[in-house]
Amino acid sequence: MRDTVFMSEMSWTEYEERLAAGAVLMLPCGTIEQHGHHLPLGVDKLLPTKVCEMAAAKMNAIVADPIVYGAKSQPRMGGGQAFVGTTSLDAGTYFNVVRDVLREFIRHGARKLCVVNGHYENTMLVMEGVDLALREARYDNITDITIMRLEYWDYIRDATLNTIFPDGFPGMALEHAAVIETSLMMHYFPHLVDAERIPADEGPASFPVYDIFPHNKTWVPASGSLSPARGATAEKGELLAADSIEGIVCDVKEVFGI
């Protein structure tokens, strides 16, 4: 067999054999979305896919190609839809894409699946897609399926956050294109980070507790970063990545008994 974790790099027979042997199939879910002046549009696709790749290598899992386009960006999470480059799907389209892809994997023989989300706005729609895929499987009398769903950032330990943010963690909601994502990109994809374009004097966004429609563009910092990315380093990214990968591998092994 080819020495790869990626489904798309395997022949169909190799893929079938690995599924038959009980391999977990991991599905990264991201989007194409602005991430400030210093990061590429594909951050939310690149990071969950890389985390899946690194985790899969530790447990003989398979990584499917990511679902690239995601749920609509919201101002308080990703800056909103006003930015050029952000490319999103309607909610109904998105959860049906998730459903269809999972349904295909089940048809292939996958019975252990793990959906790894990298775009906050996808969260509830991924859950809907999972639920619909399982419902259709039950119609076909396929009941031996387990699907995990997780966000990679939830595995970052408090001790790591305290190290990276000695003056206090601003919260994950404001970490869009900020220290965490920038550090992870510096660790995994340094050639895609333009550190010289990190704003030098831009402060964090300040949002009310409510949303308003149409979105108020003035709520979002001009760069699109919701918190300053100053202080991001590849070394911090390595710490963050280690937490995510270790935690995901531990939970996947526990859930699927591998």
Side-chain angles (χ1 to χ4, degrees):
M1 289 189 177
R2 293 168 177 83
D3 185 19
T4 182
V5 299
F6 288 105
M7 171 187 171
S8 61
E9 296 178 359
M10 302 174 189
S11 71
W12 74 266
T13 53
E14 290 168 339
Y15 170 61
E16 182 180 45
E17 289 170 14
R18 293 193 189 191
L19 288 180
V24 175
L25 180 56
M26 306 182 78
L27 173 64
C29 291
T31 199
I32 302 299
E33 180 186 45
Q34 72 82 22
H35 276 76
H37 295 175
H38 63 291
L39 294 178
L41 290 161
V43 167
D44 288 354
K45 172 198 73 170
L46 293 166
L47 290 180
T49 305
K50 177 57 75 171
V51 167
C52 284
E53 177 189 0
M54 303 304 290
K58 295 179 178 291
M59 53 187 178
N60 198 31
I62 300 169
V63 181
D65 280 16
I67 297 179
V68 173
Y69 298 107
K72 290 173 184 171
S73 179
Q74 300 299 319
R76 292 195 286 161
M77 304 167 202
Q81 291 292 119
F83 290 87
V84 172
T86 296
T87 309
S88 309
L89 302 177
D90 286 346
T93 302
Y94 185 72
F95 70 67
N96 279 313
V97 169
V98 175
R99 177 203 63 185
D100 288 355
V101 171
L102 292 175
R103 181 175 59 194
E104 286 293 279
F105 294 159
I106 293 167
R107 179 179 64 80
H108 301 160
R111 295 297 181 265
K112 302 172 183 177
L113 297 118
C114 179
V115 182
V116 179
N117 182 35
H119 174 59
Y120 189 87
E121 290 91 325
N122 286 346
T123 302
M124 297 306 295
L125 302 183
V126 167
M127 294 173 72
E128 178 70 3
V130 168
D131 184 66
L132 294 177
L134 287 173
R135 186 172 70 184
E136 293 196 12
R138 289 193 296 270
Y139 291 157
D140 293 330
N141 294 315
I142 302 172
T143 58
D144 57 339
I145 306 167
T146 300
I147 302 177
M148 292 180 69
R149 187 215 59 82
L150 58 91
E151 277 78 42
Y152 71 84
W153 53 77
D154 284 339
Y155 288 90
I156 299 171
R157 297 177 300 127
D158 288 343
T160 301
L161 292 174
N162 291 336
T163 298
I164 293 174
F165 299 98
D167 297 327
F169 179 47
M172 198 60 72
L174 289 181
E175 269 303 298
H176 180 78
V179 171
I180 288 178
E181 287 186 318
T182 302
S183 295
L184 284 167
M185 289 295 292
M186 287 176 165
H187 173 52
Y188 281 130
F189 305 99
H191 61 291
L192 297 178
V193 180
D194 188 350
E196 293 183 359
R197 300 195 68 191
I198 295 174
D201 56 358
E202 192 174 65
S206 178
F207 295 109
V209 297
Y210 58 86
D211 293 306
I212 192 166
F213 302 89
H215 296 313
N216 188 333
K217 297 178 183 178
T218 65
W219 289 357
V220 181
S223 72
S225 299
L226 299 191
S227 282
R230 299 185 298 275
T233 66
E235 291 73 22
K236 291 176 181 179
E238 186 175 9
L239 293 174
L240 294 161
D243 280 2
S244 292
I245 293 163
E246 179 182 349
I248 290 171
V249 169
C250 181
D251 276 359
V252 170
K253 285 184 173 180
E254 180 179 356
V255 167
F256 294 113
I258 59 175

